Amino acid sequence: MSAGEAAIGAAPASNAARYRLFAVLGGLYLAQAIPSYLFVAALPPIMREAGVSRTAIGSMSILLLPLVLKFAWAPWIDRIRPFARAHRAGWVFITQTGTILCILALIAVGPLDVTRIIAIGFVASLLISTQDIATDGYAAKYLPETDRAVGNAIQGGSIAFGVVIGGTLGLVLHHSIGWTGMLVTIAAISLLPLVAAAMMREGDPIPAEAAKRPSIRAFLRRPEARQILWIALIYRASEGLVKAMEGSYLVDAGVPLNQIGYLSGISATTAGIAGSAIAAWLVKRQGIAFVLALLGGMRTLCFLLFACHALGAVVGAWPLFGAAGFQTLIRYMEIVALYSLFMAVTTSEQPGTDFTILACAQLLVYLAGSMLAGKLADTLGYGALFSLATAISAAAVIATVRMIARSSVGKPA
């Protein structure tokens, strides 16, 4: 059974139930985003201000590892019910409680103890990744086909608010009330999304969940799933090459750090909310294939502008500001379209597993590009790096559109 078939059977019976589902998803995704951006956006600059070396702070990138590998334990999250009457809600309660305890544990550590911060952060990352499996599985299972794009837009907006609360507010709180006050406040705010877990409704009977054992092998047996997996592996293959070196290139181009900070903060917040809403509307009106083609084409033009600037064909800072800001908008929009595509091939028996495999695939190729970007920039130069990303982006868009055209997904709802 496809996610579309399962979702139709589980569709909310009224507008009130529909909006309740939207509110629950908003709370669930916000629950993940707040602690995530506390660790990746607030703690590094706080640690740097305290005198921690850049090398030590860079080692915190290991916290991303569970996000890439979570597909390995996703079948167990689909398979095991922590509580008899609360399957995915049970996982959310357990993981969110554990994450809050991790935040509070940082109080006794302080910003200088890098080893313990990474250890606590890794535990928190494992919990957040597990919670993401449960949340994505819940969204894939219970969102009707016509509301998938809206659900993924809600995710984008929640992430944007998570950046503001966990990252920006975290820094403001640290400046105003110190390390302990910041952590206690963020931990208290992180309790609020647990209300969303209490509002989760899971109507499927226990035997139906156990009828088939969720597994990665079951996902790979399905031809349509393998086809979308290829899209997940190629569509964003170029982005890591540019994103990883975007900040460095802006610095080397003479852009002041404060302007880079304003650019990233403002573009992330506005793109997360406005971009996600626009993408949801476009997916519903034009279909996933059209939106991915449109966004991929615009992304390719942004990369081309970076290449032209690096090669001296375009001069000035404003073209870079436009390309960098627009890339952020495109990333939020394409996630709405991609995740809607991923939901289209999930099954009711293992929605978390199916969705997580695809989400991890697109993240894996993104991170691979990010890891190669610095070496390529040092060896070939910015111009060659951005030109390579432009070519890969264009080829990926063409291949993606062709693969969707041969499948039964991606059509307007």
Side-chain angles (χ1 to χ4, degrees):
M1 181 186 293
S2 70
E5 295 168 325
I8 291 172
S14 65
N15 280 335
R18 179 173 179 253
Y19 293 133
R20 177 195 183 95
L21 177 58
F22 292 162
V24 168
L25 291 177
L28 295 178
Y29 283 117
L30 185 62
Q32 300 168 210
I34 292 173
S36 295
Y37 286 96
L38 172 68
F39 279 97
V40 303
L43 293 192
I46 291 172
M47 294 164 66
R48 181 59 182 161
E49 184 183 61
V52 177
S53 70
R54 286 185 289 262
T55 300
I57 292 174
S59 64
M60 289 184 67
S61 59
I62 196 174
L63 301 185
L64 296 173
L65 192 60
L67 296 174
V68 181
L69 299 179
K70 62 185 178 181
F71 69 89
W73 63 90
W76 293 95
I77 306 304
D78 274 330
R79 188 180 304 169
I80 298 173
R81 286 176 176 259
F83 310 107
R85 294 185 177 275
H87 183 178
R88 295 173 180 90
W91 282 113
V92 172
F93 271 112
I94 292 170
T95 54
Q96 186 68 3
T97 301
T99 301
I100 292 170
L101 292 176
C102 286
I103 295 173
L104 294 175
L106 290 171
I107 295 174
V109 172
L112 291 173
D113 194 336
V114 179
T115 301
R116 290 184 181 179
I117 288 176
I118 290 178
I120 293 171
F122 195 81
V123 173
S125 185
L126 284 170
L127 292 168
I128 293 167
S129 299
T130 301
Q131 184 177 332
D132 190 44
I133 297 168
T135 300
D136 287 338
Y138 183 79
K141 189 175 183 69
Y142 293 105
L143 274 172
E145 182 178 358
T146 54
D147 282 338
R148 286 178 193 147
V150 177
N152 288 309
I154 289 171
Q155 178 180 1
S158 298
I159 291 173
F161 280 115
V163 174
V164 173
I165 298 172
T168 306
L169 180 61
L171 289 171
V172 171
L173 289 170
H174 183 268
H175 179 76
S176 303
I177 58 178
W179 177 260
T180 299
M182 173 196 69
L183 294 172
V184 170
T185 304
I186 296 298
I189 294 174
S190 297
L191 282 169
L192 298 177
L194 284 175
V195 175
M199 295 172 60
M200 293 172 71
R201 296 291 181 267
E202 300 180 89
D204 49 310
I206 294 176
E209 295 287 341
K212 295 183 180 178
R213 291 177 64 84
S215 66
I216 296 174
R217 184 178 299 176
F219 171 88
L220 294 174
R221 286 197 194 105
R222 297 188 292 121
E224 72 278 12
R226 295 195 300 270
Q227 188 173 46
I228 303 304
L229 178 60
W230 278 112
I231 294 175
L233 288 169
I234 66 171
Y235 187 78
R236 303 187 72 198
S238 60
E239 289 185 26
L241 295 172
V242 177
K243 184 59 180 175
M245 287 292 104
E246 180 183 291
S248 297
Y249 182 69
L250 290 173
V251 170
D252 291 342
V255 180
L257 286 176
N258 64 325
Q259 292 186 20
I260 296 174
Y262 291 141
L263 175 65
S264 61
I266 294 172
S267 61
T269 304
T270 56
I273 299 172
S276 297
I278 294 170
W281 179 80
L282 282 174
V283 167
K284 191 168 184 178
R285 292 292 298 271
Q286 302 294 336
I288 298 171
F290 173 86
V291 175
L292 288 178
L294 174 66
L295 297 177
M298 292 191 296
R299 179 189 65 196
T300 303
L301 291 176
C302 287
F303 292 173
L304 180 61
L305 185 55
F306 265 94
C308 289
H309 194 280
L311 295 170
V314 175
V315 296
W318 284 107
L320 291 179
F321 289 164
F326 208 62
Q327 279 185 80
T328 303
L329 178 70
I330 290 169
R331 274 192 292 274
Y332 274 96
M333 293 179 69
E334 71 185 10
I335 286 299
V336 172
L338 276 175
Y339 283 8
S340 298
L341 180 66
F342 296 168
M343 285 183 179
V345 292
T346 59
T347 58
S348 62
E349 293 84 8
Q350 53 175 60
T353 301
D354 295 341
F355 187 93
T356 300
I357 290 171
L358 295 168
C360 286
Q362 58 91 27
L363 180 59
L364 180 63
V365 73
Y366 181 91
L367 291 178
S370 298
M371 294 173 65
L372 289 171
K375 183 65 175 179
L376 291 174
D378 285 340
T379 304
L380 305 175
Y382 284 121
L385 172 67
F386 296 148
S387 297
L388 176 63
T390 302
I392 293 175
S393 177
V397 173
I398 295 171
T400 295
V401 171
R402 288 180 175 176
M403 282 189 278
I404 293 180
R406 292 197 297 266
S407 71
S408 59
V409 299
K411 309 301 187 295

